[in-house]
């Protein structure tokens, strides 16, 4: 299934690039679609890496993070959610992850069929179905991230209770700690790598839309061009909606822009458990905690690439838009061919 999804995206990318590539008046549209395809292909690629990680006999260190979506890993995470007693956590969040993709895709179809009055073709039907599938898949993917984050918060809470009960038994507490941190390290690296790729792509898409909207507004400013402006502005709003909503639900699922808050909260709770009756135990245990996860997430690198993406999109805003000016002046017979997407 993952290979089929990747194949569909690669085919669609090839078909799109054959039309848009090498045209200066389509650069910003190209950047927006590159960002969308990067989002769409993210889960199939990650899932494929997870499959490779599970089937490879030899240990592959650079794919350790991919264990996060391994079936055994997820089953282990589910054990800390109390599903038989409490059911799925975050039911409202699951509802949003399921409904928002449908609403966004409906808005896209509304722009295409009603506002722009483009002809309804089999290719457009395929793209709408494709968008529904990939956005729904991303919604489920984000909810899985949320479940993993909640499971670790529950497990760290249980670990805290265990440390309190076994105070003074350093070997037992260390063993329990390493059992948690081994899995948490995979999740931490997974979120860090995914955000490193996701946030710059979202910034690039949104910045491209902003630059394009300013270009459109400055090119088609007369009242006779109201239809062209309406279509282009709605396309930009659609792009903003897709990426802003995805960033919002992804940030909520992780609990922020990194997983550091989970470890920091656990570390603070451990410090509050210290007692003078077992000073040697607590000194050794806290020292062990301080040695773990000394490295921070790639937040600085993520911000750098985000700024670079924004700068790139804004610089490309100064491009050839003569085709749009001609369309506004009605010198093209088929105006819709330039903004049907």
């Amino acid at each position: 299934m993952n290979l089929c999804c990747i194949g569909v995206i690669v085919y669609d990318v090839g078909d799109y690039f054959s039309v848009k590539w090498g045209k200066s008046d389509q650069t910003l549209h190209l950047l927006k679609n590159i960002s969308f395809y990067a989002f769409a292909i993210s889960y199939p690629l990650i899932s494929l890496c997870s499959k490779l990680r599970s089937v490879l006999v030899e240990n592959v260190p650079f794919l350790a993070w991919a264990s996060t979506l391994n079936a055994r890993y997820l089953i282990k995470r589910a054990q800390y959610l109390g599903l038989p007693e409490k059911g799925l956590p975050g039911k409202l969040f699951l509802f949003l992850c399921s409904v928002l993709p449908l609403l966004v895709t409906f808005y896209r179809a509304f722009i295409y069929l009603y506002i722009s009055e483009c002809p309804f073709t089999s290719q457009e039907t395929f793209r709408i179905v494709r968008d529904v599938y990939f956005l729904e898949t991303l919604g489920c993917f984000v909810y899985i991230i949320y479940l993993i984050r909640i499971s670790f918060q529950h497990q760290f809470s249980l670990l805290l209770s265990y440390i309190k009960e076994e105070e003074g038994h350093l070997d037992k507490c260390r063993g329990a700690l390493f059992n948690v941190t081994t899995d948490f390290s995979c999740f931490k690296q997974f979120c860090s790598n995914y955000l490193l790729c996701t946030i710059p792509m979202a910034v690039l898409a949104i910045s491209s839309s902003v630059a394009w909207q300013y270009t459109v507004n400055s090119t088609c400013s007369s009242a006779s061009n109201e239809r062209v402006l309406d279509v282009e502005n709605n396309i930009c709003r659609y792009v903003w909606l897709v990426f802003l909503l995805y960033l919002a639900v992804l940030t909520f699922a992780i609990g922020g822009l990194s997983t550091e808050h989970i470890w920091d909260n656990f570390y603070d709770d451990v410090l509050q458990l210290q007692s003078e009756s077992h000073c040697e135990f607590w000194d050794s245990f806290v020292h062990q905690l301080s040695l773990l996860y000394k490295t921070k997430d790639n937040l600085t690198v993520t911000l750098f690439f985000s700024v670079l993406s924004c700068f790139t999109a804004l610089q490309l805003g100064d491009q050839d838009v003569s085709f749009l000016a001609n369309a506004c002046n009605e010198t093209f017979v088929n105006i819709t061919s330039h903004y049907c997407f």
Side-chain angles (χ1 to χ4, degrees):
M1 179 61 74
N2 294 322
L3 291 177
C4 291
C5 294
I6 294 173
V8 169
I9 295 175
V10 171
Y11 171 79
D12 203 31
V13 169
D15 181 62
Y16 183 83
F17 271 48
S18 64
V19 178
K20 303 291 185 181
W21 183 258
K23 297 182 179 180
S24 60
D25 54 15
Q26 298 291 335
T27 305
L28 290 177
H29 280 302
L30 189 65
L31 290 177
K32 286 188 293 183
N33 280 275
I34 287 175
S35 302
F36 176 80
Y37 288 126
F39 269 83
I41 205 172
S42 61
Y43 174 73
L45 281 179
I46 292 173
S47 183
L48 181 61
C49 290
S50 179
K51 292 291 184 182
L52 290 175
R53 178 71 175 85
S54 61
V55 299
L56 290 177
V57 178
E58 298 181 358
N59 187 26
V60 186
F62 69 90
L63 284 180
W65 57 270
S67 301
T68 304
L69 294 183
N70 186 277
R72 293 181 180 178
Y73 187 95
L74 294 177
I75 292 173
K76 185 177 180 180
R77 291 293 95 220
Q79 295 175 355
Y80 296 96
L81 295 175
L83 298 179
E85 300 82 13
K86 302 178 182 179
L88 285 173
K91 294 181 178 63
L92 178 59
F93 184 64
L94 175 60
F95 175 77
L96 290 176
C97 290
S98 303
V99 172
L100 288 178
L102 296 176
L103 296 178
V104 168
T105 308
F106 176 78
Y107 181 44
R108 183 192 190 283
F110 178 77
I111 297 172
Y112 187 92
L113 298 175
Y114 180 75
I115 299 178
S116 67
E117 299 180 1
C118 290
F120 190 78
T121 62
S122 58
Q123 185 179 21
E124 180 59 22
T125 304
F126 166 76
R127 287 178 177 174
I128 291 175
V129 174
R130 176 207 64 187
D131 287 358
V132 170
Y133 175 78
F134 283 115
L135 291 177
E136 284 288 347
T137 302
L138 283 176
C140 295
F141 171 60
V142 169
Y143 183 71
I144 290 174
I145 294 176
Y146 170 78
L147 291 181
I148 296 174
R149 191 253 295 180
I150 295 298
S151 72
F152 274 116
Q153 289 178 326
H154 289 174
Q155 188 175 9
F156 274 118
S157 179
L158 293 174
L159 177 60
L160 199 66
S161 300
Y162 180 81
I163 294 172
K164 186 176 181 180
E165 292 178 2
E166 298 294 335
E167 183 180 3
H169 299 85
L170 185 59
D171 292 337
K172 289 184 178 180
C173 293
R174 276 181 177 174
L177 176 65
F178 290 147
N179 184 42
V180 180
T181 54
T182 300
D183 291 340
F184 183 68
S185 177
C186 292
F187 179 62
K188 176 177 177 291
Q189 187 179 3
F190 167 81
C191 292
S192 179
N193 293 340
Y194 188 65
L195 287 173
L196 179 62
C197 300
T198 301
I199 294 180
M201 284 292 101
V203 172
L204 178 62
I206 295 172
S207 302
S208 301
S209 299
V210 171
W212 180 251
Q213 192 163 17
Y214 272 98
T215 303
V216 170
N217 290 337
S218 61
T219 304
C220 299
S221 56
S222 62
S224 60
N225 304 322
E226 183 176 351
R227 183 185 171 200
V228 175
L229 281 173
D230 191 28
V231 172
E232 293 292 347
N233 288 334
N234 274 280
I235 292 174
C236 289
R237 294 189 192 105
Y238 167 75
V239 175
W240 298 346
L241 193 62
V242 170
F243 288 96
L244 288 177
L245 284 177
Y246 186 72
L247 285 180
V249 295
L250 180 62
T251 303
F252 179 82
I254 297 176
L257 294 178
S258 73
T259 57
E260 289 292 331
H261 65 96
I262 301 176
W263 177 258
D264 291 339
N265 291 338
F266 172 70
Y267 185 82
D268 293 339
D269 291 338
V270 169
L271 293 181
Q272 295 178 9
L273 289 179
Q274 294 183 85
S275 62
E276 296 181 357
S277 57
H278 296 87
C279 291
E280 185 176 349
F281 163 79
W282 285 113
D283 289 342
S284 300
F285 190 77
V286 171
H287 177 68
Q288 187 67 56
L289 285 178
S290 63
L291 294 178
L292 295 171
Y293 300 103
K294 292 188 295 183
T295 58
K296 297 294 183 180
D297 287 323
N298 299 323
L299 185 58
T300 303
V301 182
T302 303
L303 292 175
F304 170 76
F305 281 113
S306 299
V307 173
L308 182 62
S309 299
C310 183
F311 175 77
T312 301
L314 294 178
Q315 284 296 104
L316 289 174
D318 186 16
Q319 61 173 324
D320 180 18
V321 292
S322 58
F323 85 98
L324 188 58
N326 293 332
C328 294
N329 294 328
E330 299 182 356
T331 57
F332 285 128
V333 176
N334 186 12
I335 298 175
T336 59
S337 64
H338 296 278
Y339 56 77
C340 288
F341 53 103

